[in-house]
PDB file of all heavy atoms in Angstrom:
ATOM      1  N   ILE A   1       9.493   6.025   1.504  1.00 95.00           N
ATOM      2  CA  ILE A   1       8.942   4.666   1.469  1.00 95.00           C
ATOM      3  C   ILE A   1       8.762   4.227  -0.018  1.00 95.00           C
ATOM      4  O   ILE A   1       8.002   4.982  -0.741  1.00 95.00           O
ATOM      5  CB  ILE A   1       7.623   4.544   2.227  1.00 95.00           C
ATOM      6  CG1 ILE A   1       7.768   5.083   3.641  1.00 95.00           C
ATOM      7  CG2 ILE A   1       7.120   3.119   2.188  1.00 95.00           C
ATOM      8  CD1 ILE A   1       6.457   5.456   4.279  1.00 95.00           C
ATOM      9  N   LEU A   2       9.422   3.170  -0.433  1.00 95.00           N
ATOM     10  CA  LEU A   2       9.203   2.683  -1.799  1.00 95.00           C
ATOM     11  C   LEU A   2       8.267   1.439  -1.777  1.00 95.00           C
ATOM     12  O   LEU A   2       8.508   0.458  -1.031  1.00 95.00           O
ATOM     13  CB  LEU A   2      10.531   2.217  -2.416  1.00 95.00           C
ATOM     14  CG  LEU A   2      10.458   1.536  -3.797  1.00 95.00           C
ATOM     15  CD1 LEU A   2       9.899   2.427  -4.888  1.00 95.00           C
ATOM     16  CD2 LEU A   2      11.833   0.985  -4.226  1.00 95.00           C
ATOM     17  N   VAL A   3       7.169   1.477  -2.559  1.00 95.00           N
ATOM     18  CA  VAL A   3       6.277   0.417  -2.621  1.00 95.00           C
ATOM     19  C   VAL A   3       6.418  -0.194  -4.041  1.00 95.00           C
ATOM     20  O   VAL A   3       6.149   0.489  -5.037  1.00 95.00           O
ATOM     21  CB  VAL A   3       4.813   0.880  -2.383  1.00 95.00           C
ATOM     22  CG1 VAL A   3       3.862  -0.332  -2.558  1.00 95.00           C
ATOM     23  CG2 VAL A   3       4.711   1.607  -1.052  1.00 95.00           C
ATOM     24  N   THR A   4       6.796  -1.435  -4.087  1.00 94.00           N
ATOM     25  CA  THR A   4       6.982  -2.079  -5.366  1.00 94.00           C
ATOM     26  C   THR A   4       6.203  -3.472  -5.411  1.00 94.00           C
ATOM     27  O   THR A   4       5.553  -3.813  -4.420  1.00 94.00           O
ATOM     28  CB  THR A   4       8.438  -2.338  -5.676  1.00 94.00           C
ATOM     29  OG1 THR A   4       8.632  -2.917  -7.017  1.00 94.00           O
ATOM     30  CG2 THR A   4       9.132  -3.277  -4.684  1.00 94.00           C
ATOM     31  N   SER A   5       6.317  -4.257  -6.462  1.00 93.00           N
ATOM     32  CA  SER A   5       5.742  -5.578  -6.569  1.00 93.00           C
ATOM     33  C   SER A   5       6.465  -6.398  -7.564  1.00 93.00           C
ATOM     34  O   SER A   5       7.330  -5.910  -8.326  1.00 93.00           O
ATOM     35  CB  SER A   5       4.253  -5.424  -6.963  1.00 93.00           C
ATOM     36  OG  SER A   5       4.140  -4.859  -8.298  1.00 93.00           O
ATOM     37  N   LEU A   6       6.123  -7.696  -7.542  1.00 91.00           N
ATOM     38  CA  LEU A   6       6.783  -8.618  -8.523  1.00 91.00           C
ATOM     39  C   LEU A   6       6.173  -8.520  -9.907  1.00 91.00           C
ATOM     40  O   LEU A   6       6.896  -8.755 -10.895  1.00 91.00           O
ATOM     41  CB  LEU A   6       6.676 -10.086  -8.039  1.00 91.00           C
ATOM     42  CG  LEU A   6       7.537 -10.423  -6.832  1.00 91.00           C
ATOM     43  CD1 LEU A   6       7.096 -11.769  -6.254  1.00 91.00           C
ATOM     44  CD2 LEU A   6       9.014 -10.493  -7.257  1.00 91.00           C
ATOM     45  N   GLU A   7       4.928  -8.145  -9.985  1.00 91.00           N
ATOM     46  CA  GLU A   7       4.264  -8.133 -11.350  1.00 91.00           C
ATOM     47  C   GLU A   7       3.196  -7.019 -11.325  1.00 91.00           C
ATOM     48  O   GLU A   7       2.773  -6.552 -10.257  1.00 91.00           O
ATOM     49  CB  GLU A   7       3.634  -9.472 -11.629  1.00 91.00           C
ATOM     50  CG  GLU A   7       2.268  -9.762 -11.005  1.00 91.00           C
ATOM     51  CD  GLU A   7       2.316  -9.928  -9.481  1.00 91.00           C
ATOM     52  OE1 GLU A   7       3.374 -10.014  -8.890  1.00 91.00           O
ATOM     53  OE2 GLU A   7       1.176 -10.007  -8.905  1.00 91.00           O
ATOM     54  N   ALA A   8       2.816  -6.649 -12.480  1.00 90.00           N
ATOM     55  CA  ALA A   8       1.780  -5.602 -12.647  1.00 90.00           C
ATOM     56  C   ALA A   8       0.466  -6.199 -12.244  1.00 90.00           C
ATOM     57  O   ALA A   8       0.186  -7.409 -12.377  1.00 90.00           O
ATOM     58  CB  ALA A   8       1.713  -5.111 -14.102  1.00 90.00           C
ATOM     59  N   GLY A   9      -0.440  -5.365 -11.704  1.00 90.00           N
ATOM     60  CA  GLY A   9      -1.737  -5.866 -11.280  1.00 90.00           C
ATOM     61  C   GLY A   9      -1.820  -6.302  -9.935  1.00 90.00           C
ATOM     62  O   GLY A   9      -2.846  -6.912  -9.533  1.00 90.00           O
ATOM     63  N   ALA A  10      -0.754  -6.255  -9.058  1.00 92.00           N
ATOM     64  CA  ALA A  10      -0.793  -6.744  -7.733  1.00 92.00           C
ATOM     65  C   ALA A  10      -1.439  -5.805  -6.774  1.00 92.00           C
ATOM     66  O   ALA A  10      -1.640  -6.064  -5.621  1.00 92.00           O
ATOM     67  CB  ALA A  10       0.672  -7.014  -7.282  1.00 92.00           C
ATOM     68  N   GLY A  11      -1.879  -4.579  -7.289  1.00 92.00           N
ATOM     69  CA  GLY A  11      -2.506  -3.638  -6.414  1.00 92.00           C
ATOM     70  C   GLY A  11      -1.543  -2.612  -5.768  1.00 92.00           C
ATOM     71  O   GLY A  11      -1.900  -2.084  -4.658  1.00 92.00           O
ATOM     72  N   LYS A  12      -0.452  -2.510  -6.297  1.00 92.00           N
ATOM     73  CA  LYS A  12       0.662  -1.643  -5.794  1.00 92.00           C
ATOM     74  C   LYS A  12       0.175  -0.222  -5.665  1.00 92.00           C
ATOM     75  O   LYS A  12       0.427   0.415  -4.617  1.00 92.00           O
ATOM     76  CB  LYS A  12       1.904  -1.815  -6.671  1.00 92.00           C
ATOM     77  CG  LYS A  12       3.045  -0.864  -6.373  1.00 92.00           C
ATOM     78  CD  LYS A  12       4.185  -1.134  -7.215  1.00 92.00           C
ATOM     79  CE  LYS A  12       3.841  -1.107  -8.696  1.00 92.00           C
ATOM     80  NZ  LYS A  12       3.398   0.277  -9.118  1.00 92.00           N
ATOM     81  N   SER A  13      -0.426   0.337  -6.660  1.00 92.00           N
ATOM     82  CA  SER A  13      -0.833   1.770  -6.616  1.00 92.00           C
ATOM     83  C   SER A  13      -1.919   1.972  -5.615  1.00 92.00           C
ATOM     84  O   SER A  13      -1.922   2.969  -4.908  1.00 92.00           O
ATOM     85  CB  SER A  13      -1.318   2.169  -8.051  1.00 92.00           C
ATOM     86  OG  SER A  13      -0.300   2.066  -8.957  1.00 92.00           O
ATOM     87  N   PHE A  14      -2.845   1.053  -5.555  1.00 93.00           N
ATOM     88  CA  PHE A  14      -3.924   1.137  -4.518  1.00 93.00           C
ATOM     89  C   PHE A  14      -3.403   1.192  -3.084  1.00 93.00           C
ATOM     90  O   PHE A  14      -3.760   2.020  -2.268  1.00 93.00           O
ATOM     91  CB  PHE A  14      -4.888  -0.010  -4.712  1.00 93.00           C
ATOM     92  CG  PHE A  14      -5.910  -0.111  -3.562  1.00 93.00           C
ATOM     93  CD1 PHE A  14      -7.019   0.711  -3.572  1.00 93.00           C
ATOM     94  CD2 PHE A  14      -5.796  -1.079  -2.589  1.00 93.00           C
ATOM     95  CE1 PHE A  14      -7.934   0.615  -2.536  1.00 93.00           C
ATOM     96  CE2 PHE A  14      -6.721  -1.192  -1.618  1.00 93.00           C
ATOM     97  CZ  PHE A  14      -7.810  -0.287  -1.534  1.00 93.00           C
ATOM     98  N   VAL A  15      -2.421   0.256  -2.863  1.00 94.00           N
ATOM     99  CA  VAL A  15      -1.849   0.163  -1.497  1.00 94.00           C
ATOM    100  C   VAL A  15      -1.025   1.463  -1.226  1.00 94.00           C
ATOM    101  O   VAL A  15      -1.034   2.001  -0.060  1.00 94.00           O
ATOM    102  CB  VAL A  15      -0.983  -1.064  -1.377  1.00 94.00           C
ATOM    103  CG1 VAL A  15      -0.189  -1.022  -0.069  1.00 94.00           C
ATOM    104  CG2 VAL A  15      -1.845  -2.333  -1.454  1.00 94.00           C
ATOM    105  N   SER A  16      -0.301   1.961  -2.256  1.00 94.00           N
ATOM    106  CA  SER A  16       0.482   3.233  -2.077  1.00 94.00           C
ATOM    107  C   SER A  16      -0.455   4.389  -1.730  1.00 94.00           C
ATOM    108  O   SER A  16      -0.107   5.214  -0.831  1.00 94.00           O
ATOM    109  CB  SER A  16       1.284   3.497  -3.340  1.00 94.00           C
ATOM    110  OG  SER A  16       2.122   2.431  -3.670  1.00 94.00           O
ATOM    111  N   GLN A  17      -1.491   4.473  -2.386  1.00 92.00           N
ATOM    112  CA  GLN A  17      -2.458   5.591  -2.075  1.00 92.00           C
ATOM    113  C   GLN A  17      -3.034   5.498  -0.658  1.00 92.00           C
ATOM    114  O   GLN A  17      -3.103   6.530   0.019  1.00 92.00           O
ATOM    115  CB  GLN A  17      -3.572   5.634  -3.077  1.00 92.00           C
ATOM    116  CG  GLN A  17      -3.111   5.933  -4.523  1.00 92.00           C
ATOM    117  CD  GLN A  17      -4.185   5.668  -5.588  1.00 92.00           C
ATOM    118  OE1 GLN A  17      -5.377   5.619  -5.284  1.00 92.00           O
ATOM    119  NE2 GLN A  17      -3.790   5.500  -6.869  1.00 92.00           N
ATOM    120  N   ARG A  18      -3.480   4.224  -0.288  1.00 93.00           N
ATOM    121  CA  ARG A  18      -3.996   4.107   1.072  1.00 93.00           C
ATOM    122  C   ARG A  18      -2.906   4.366   2.130  1.00 93.00           C
ATOM    123  O   ARG A  18      -3.153   4.972   3.167  1.00 93.00           O
ATOM    124  CB  ARG A  18      -4.551   2.669   1.249  1.00 93.00           C
ATOM    125  CG  ARG A  18      -5.695   2.318   0.359  1.00 93.00           C
ATOM    126  CD  ARG A  18      -7.019   2.983   0.767  1.00 93.00           C
ATOM    127  NE  ARG A  18      -7.148   4.328   0.341  1.00 93.00           N
ATOM    128  CZ  ARG A  18      -7.475   4.777  -0.882  1.00 93.00           C
ATOM    129  NH1 ARG A  18      -7.688   3.860  -1.827  1.00 93.00           N
ATOM    130  NH2 ARG A  18      -7.576   6.042  -1.158  1.00 93.00           N
ATOM    131  N   LEU A  19      -1.688   3.962   1.845  1.00 94.00           N
ATOM    132  CA  LEU A  19      -0.599   4.209   2.775  1.00 94.00           C
ATOM    133  C   LEU A  19      -0.245   5.727   2.855  1.00 94.00           C
ATOM    134  O   LEU A  19      -0.118   6.276   3.974  1.00 94.00           O
ATOM    135  CB  LEU A  19       0.632   3.434   2.331  1.00 94.00           C
ATOM    136  CG  LEU A  19       1.848   3.563   3.279  1.00 94.00           C
ATOM    137  CD1 LEU A  19       1.512   3.036   4.673  1.00 94.00           C
ATOM    138  CD2 LEU A  19       3.022   2.770   2.702  1.00 94.00           C
ATOM    139  N   ALA A  20      -0.301   6.398   1.759  1.00 94.00           N
ATOM    140  CA  ALA A  20      -0.060   7.829   1.741  1.00 94.00           C
ATOM    141  C   ALA A  20      -1.138   8.580   2.474  1.00 94.00           C
ATOM    142  O   ALA A  20      -0.890   9.550   3.255  1.00 94.00           O
ATOM    143  CB  ALA A  20       0.041   8.379   0.298  1.00 94.00           C
ATOM    144  N   SER A  21      -2.397   8.163   2.286  1.00 92.00           N
ATOM    145  CA  SER A  21      -3.522   8.795   2.991  1.00 92.00           C
ATOM    146  C   SER A  21      -3.401   8.620   4.489  1.00 92.00           C
ATOM    147  O   SER A  21      -3.682   9.568   5.240  1.00 92.00           O
ATOM    148  CB  SER A  21      -4.823   8.208   2.456  1.00 92.00           C
ATOM    149  OG  SER A  21      -5.932   8.742   3.126  1.00 92.00           O
ATOM    150  N   LEU A  22      -2.926   7.403   4.931  1.00 93.00           N
ATOM    151  CA  LEU A  22      -2.746   7.170   6.373  1.00 93.00           C
ATOM    152  C   LEU A  22      -1.623   8.025   6.932  1.00 93.00           C
ATOM    153  O   LEU A  22      -1.790   8.559   8.042  1.00 93.00           O
ATOM    154  CB  LEU A  22      -2.470   5.654   6.590  1.00 93.00           C
ATOM    155  CG  LEU A  22      -2.391   5.163   7.969  1.00 93.00           C
ATOM    156  CD1 LEU A  22      -3.661   5.412   8.781  1.00 93.00           C
ATOM    157  CD2 LEU A  22      -2.047   3.689   8.016  1.00 93.00           C
ATOM    158  N   LEU A  23      -0.547   8.129   6.229  1.00 93.00           N
ATOM    159  CA  LEU A  23       0.601   8.909   6.712  1.00 93.00           C
ATOM    160  C   LEU A  23       0.340  10.389   6.719  1.00 93.00           C
ATOM    161  O   LEU A  23       0.889  11.153   7.527  1.00 93.00           O
ATOM    162  CB  LEU A  23       1.840   8.593   5.815  1.00 93.00           C
ATOM    163  CG  LEU A  23       2.461   7.239   5.923  1.00 93.00           C
ATOM    164  CD1 LEU A  23       3.488   7.018   4.869  1.00 93.00           C
ATOM    165  CD2 LEU A  23       3.054   7.024   7.300  1.00 93.00           C
ATOM    166  N   ALA A  24      -0.568  10.826   5.815  1.00 92.00           N
ATOM    167  CA  ALA A  24      -0.913  12.260   5.746  1.00 92.00           C
ATOM    168  C   ALA A  24      -1.592  12.736   7.033  1.00 92.00           C
ATOM    169  O   ALA A  24      -1.601  13.948   7.381  1.00 92.00           O
ATOM    170  CB  ALA A  24      -1.781  12.489   4.559  1.00 92.00           C
ATOM    171  N   GLN A  25      -2.185  11.788   7.773  1.00 90.00           N
ATOM    172  CA  GLN A  25      -2.776  12.122   9.009  1.00 90.00           C
ATOM    173  C   GLN A  25      -1.771  12.530  10.096  1.00 90.00           C
ATOM    174  O   GLN A  25      -2.092  13.240  11.102  1.00 90.00           O
ATOM    175  CB  GLN A  25      -3.634  10.960   9.517  1.00 90.00           C
ATOM    176  CG  GLN A  25      -4.747  10.586   8.602  1.00 90.00           C
ATOM    177  CD  GLN A  25      -5.530   9.342   9.049  1.00 90.00           C
ATOM    178  OE1 GLN A  25      -5.365   8.892  10.227  1.00 90.00           O
ATOM    179  NE2 GLN A  25      -6.300   8.755   8.134  1.00 90.00           N
ATOM    180  N   LYS A  26      -0.444  12.186   9.887  1.00 89.00           N
ATOM    181  CA  LYS A  26       0.556  12.434  10.891  1.00 89.00           C
ATOM    182  C   LYS A  26       1.439  13.570  10.439  1.00 89.00           C
ATOM    183  O   LYS A  26       2.265  14.064  11.205  1.00 89.00           O
ATOM    184  CB  LYS A  26       1.384  11.189  11.118  1.00 89.00           C
ATOM    185  CG  LYS A  26       0.574  10.021  11.615  1.00 89.00           C
ATOM    186  CD  LYS A  26       1.485   8.758  11.790  1.00 89.00           C
ATOM    187  CE  LYS A  26       0.653   7.591  12.237  1.00 89.00           C
ATOM    188  NZ  LYS A  26       1.505   6.413  12.414  1.00 89.00           N
ATOM    189  N   GLY A  27       1.351  13.976   9.213  1.00 90.00           N
ATOM    190  CA  GLY A  27       2.255  15.064   8.743  1.00 90.00           C
ATOM    191  C   GLY A  27       2.156  15.221   7.247  1.00 90.00           C
ATOM    192  O   GLY A  27       1.506  14.379   6.497  1.00 90.00           O
ATOM    193  N   ARG A  28       2.846  16.189   6.722  1.00 93.00           N
ATOM    194  CA  ARG A  28       2.800  16.437   5.264  1.00 93.00           C
ATOM    195  C   ARG A  28       3.429  15.232   4.521  1.00 93.00           C
ATOM    196  O   ARG A  28       4.550  14.836   4.850  1.00 93.00           O
ATOM    197  CB  ARG A  28       3.557  17.752   4.990  1.00 93.00           C
ATOM    198  CG  ARG A  28       3.309  18.210   3.573  1.00 93.00           C
ATOM    199  CD  ARG A  28       4.014  19.521   3.321  1.00 93.00           C
ATOM    200  NE  ARG A  28       3.785  19.965   1.906  1.00 93.00           N
ATOM    201  CZ  ARG A  28       4.455  20.936   1.307  1.00 93.00           C
ATOM    202  NH1 ARG A  28       5.410  21.610   2.061  1.00 93.00           N
ATOM    203  NH2 ARG A  28       4.163  21.313   0.088  1.00 93.00           N
ATOM    204  N   THR A  29       2.657  14.814   3.493  1.00 94.00           N
ATOM    205  CA  THR A  29       3.102  13.604   2.724  1.00 94.00           C
ATOM    206  C   THR A  29       3.021  13.900   1.274  1.00 94.00           C
ATOM    207  O   THR A  29       2.123  14.549   0.732  1.00 94.00           O
ATOM    208  CB  THR A  29       2.178  12.405   3.100  1.00 94.00           C
ATOM    209  OG1 THR A  29       2.236  12.260   4.501  1.00 94.00           O
ATOM    210  CG2 THR A  29       2.513  11.094   2.404  1.00 94.00           C
ATOM    211  N   LEU A  30       4.009  13.281   0.558  1.00 93.00           N
ATOM    212  CA  LEU A  30       4.111  13.371  -0.920  1.00 93.00           C
ATOM    213  C   LEU A  30       4.028  11.967  -1.509  1.00 93.00           C
ATOM    214  O   LEU A  30       4.643  11.035  -1.013  1.00 93.00           O
ATOM    215  CB  LEU A  30       5.335  14.075  -1.326  1.00 93.00           C
ATOM    216  CG  LEU A  30       5.708  14.056  -2.856  1.00 93.00           C
ATOM    217  CD1 LEU A  30       4.694  14.840  -3.629  1.00 93.00           C
ATOM    218  CD2 LEU A  30       7.078  14.591  -3.129  1.00 93.00           C
ATOM    219  N   LEU A  31       3.238  11.839  -2.592  1.00 94.00           N
ATOM    220  CA  LEU A  31       3.163  10.552  -3.278  1.00 94.00           C
ATOM    221  C   LEU A  31       3.589  10.700  -4.736  1.00 94.00           C
ATOM    222  O   LEU A  31       3.136  11.543  -5.469  1.00 94.00           O
ATOM    223  CB  LEU A  31       1.670  10.091  -3.252  1.00 94.00           C
ATOM    224  CG  LEU A  31       1.384   8.815  -4.115  1.00 94.00           C
ATOM    225  CD1 LEU A  31       2.103   7.593  -3.570  1.00 94.00           C
ATOM    226  CD2 LEU A  31      -0.152   8.556  -4.198  1.00 94.00           C
TER     227      LEU A  31
END
């Protein structure tokens, strides 16, 4: 899964971390 944005500061890293945390509940996840 690639998480990107149009501009810096859109909260891309925050969303990526929350998404990785959620996926880690179902199996091994790498960020």
